Amino acid sequence: MRAIILEQVDRLLAAQSGAAALRRLEAGEWPEELWEALEGLGLPLLLVPEELGGIGLGWADAAAVWQVIGRYAAPAPVAECMLANGLAAAAGIEPRGGFSSFGQTAPFGRFAAQLLLEPAPGRLALHAPGAATPGQNIAREPRDAMTPGPLLAEGALPNSHGPRALRLGHALLRAALIAGAVEHALALAVDWANTRKQFGRALAKFQAIQQQLAVVASEAAAVSVAVSAAARAVDSRGLEGASFEIACAKVVAGEAAQTTAATVHQVFAAIGITEDHELHHTTRRLWSWRDEGGSERAWAGEIGRNTLAQGGAALWPDITARDIS
């Protein structure tokens, strides 16, 4: 099922993405045609159990889809909707139609049909959207300050997801999107290096360029593995039980975003920063998603504090005892 969905999502986004589509999105235009196609695939309900009308797949499946969405610079906020609907369903709230966003600084909040909030640790509330104060991140994606409207439903999350499920889920989502964007930036750079010539040779023939591309390739592999491990841990132990793996994934993703953006722009030189080039949109999303869901500094600090609290003798047994198979 995962392979079928990934193939369909990749084909759909390849046909309806690109710099022109991203510019329209950044100008505030809702991608109606693409959204209807994504809904037709059932993506907003991928994490929702079948008994609530969803597809009933797991977090590892969702993370794989998020990587594909990140590869195309997320031309529609379906990943955010998947997370909101999945967490709502985990709290016993039946998903509703339309786009679901989350948080009081909500991704694409101005377009939301419902808004998911965390009124107390371990509890979620679904509201009709109230007033929206428009805002943007560095990528010019809408990040709107929301006033919640009437309460539609509420429920309690299972203990395995813990008291900060929304933050942990958001961190995993952004790490997965970064993983996909890093892969895409690498692919763009490799293609450019193989076609652009200097001094009569393709850029890829120069050892310095090869070394730069190798660095980005290692970052792409590292963040993909970290995201996959974190998502499998969530399937095995819930969001709170996988907090260490999620924190590690977000740290690795943040570092990969920084290194990738800096390196691929060196390979491309000036053309990569132009508004018409795909790389321009991809790297702005890398910078934005790096901070959202908690920066690598914030999550590294949490890992460090927890390690110190347990004591040095517990570090290796704690790491080696983790089972994410």
Side-chain angles (χ1 to χ4, degrees):
M1 176 66 78
R2 183 198 297 189
I4 293 171
I5 291 175
L6 291 178
E7 181 183 357
Q8 291 176 327
V9 173
D10 188 79
R11 186 186 304 118
L12 175 62
L13 294 182
Q16 298 200 32
S17 297
L22 293 172
R23 282 198 299 273
R24 291 194 296 271
L25 188 71
E26 293 168 10
E29 180 182 326
W30 177 252
E32 187 66 38
E33 181 181 351
L34 177 56
W35 181 259
E36 289 179 0
L38 292 166
E39 278 194 313
L41 294 178
L43 283 195
L45 302 178
L46 187 142
L47 281 170
V48 176
E50 292 183 47
E51 57 267 25
L52 292 179
I55 298 179
L57 297 185
W59 288 84
D61 303 307
V65 173
W66 292 342
Q67 283 189 238
V68 175
I69 294 169
R71 199 178 301 150
Y72 291 96
V78 67
E80 289 83 352
C81 189
M82 288 168 60
L83 175 63
N85 285 339
L87 288 177
I93 302 172
E94 187 169 350
R96 300 168 181 241
F99 170 56
S100 300
S101 191
F102 57 85
Q104 290 190 318
T105 303
F108 296 81
R110 71 194 73 168
F111 301 110
Q114 49 270 329
L115 180 67
L116 188 70
L117 298 175
E118 205 167 24
R123 293 195 64 83
L124 295 178
L126 193 67
H127 289 261
T133 302
Q136 291 182 324
N137 61 12
I138 296 172
R140 303 188 199 127
E141 296 175 310
R143 297 293 185 263
D144 303 326
M146 302 295 294
T147 301
L151 178 66
L152 301 175
E154 61 181 332
L157 286 162
N159 290 335
S160 60
H161 280 339
R164 51 184 188 151
L166 198 52
R167 182 170 185 257
L168 288 165
H170 193 193
L172 180 58
L173 165 65
R174 295 301 170 205
L177 291 176
I178 287 172
V182 167
E183 289 177 357
H184 185 56
L186 174 61
L188 290 173
V190 169
D191 181 67
W192 176 255
N194 281 321
T195 56
R196 177 68 173 175
K197 292 185 177 180
Q198 289 288 352
F199 308 108
R201 291 193 296 168
L203 291 179
K205 298 295 184 180
F206 293 92
Q207 188 174 21
I209 299 296
Q210 294 171 1
Q211 290 172 336
Q212 288 178 309
L213 294 176
V215 167
V216 178
S218 67
E219 295 289 349
V223 67
S224 182
V225 168
V227 167
S228 178
R232 295 199 312 272
V234 177
D235 282 330
S236 177
R237 302 192 299 271
L239 284 164
E240 187 59 42
S243 60
F244 174 79
E245 287 84 358
I246 293 173
C248 290
K250 195 58 170 67
V251 170
V252 173
E255 293 174 346
Q258 178 182 13
T259 300
T260 298
T263 306
V264 295
H265 276 291
Q266 291 179 45
V267 174
F268 270 91
I271 194 172
I273 66 172
T274 60
E275 184 88 12
D276 290 336
H277 202 285
E278 278 189 77
L279 185 62
H280 173 94
H281 301 275
T282 298
T283 49
R284 278 199 285 107
R285 279 157 178 77
L286 285 173
W287 295 326
S288 297
W289 297 339
R290 176 186 176 187
D291 290 334
E292 294 178 338
S295 67
E296 64 263 35
R297 176 175 292 185
W299 285 110
E302 177 172 316
I303 293 171
R305 287 189 296 273
N306 291 341
T307 300
L308 289 173
Q310 293 180 48
L315 176 60
W316 184 246
D318 180 54
I319 292 174
T320 56
R322 295 178 184 273
D323 179 14
I324 56 172
S325 60

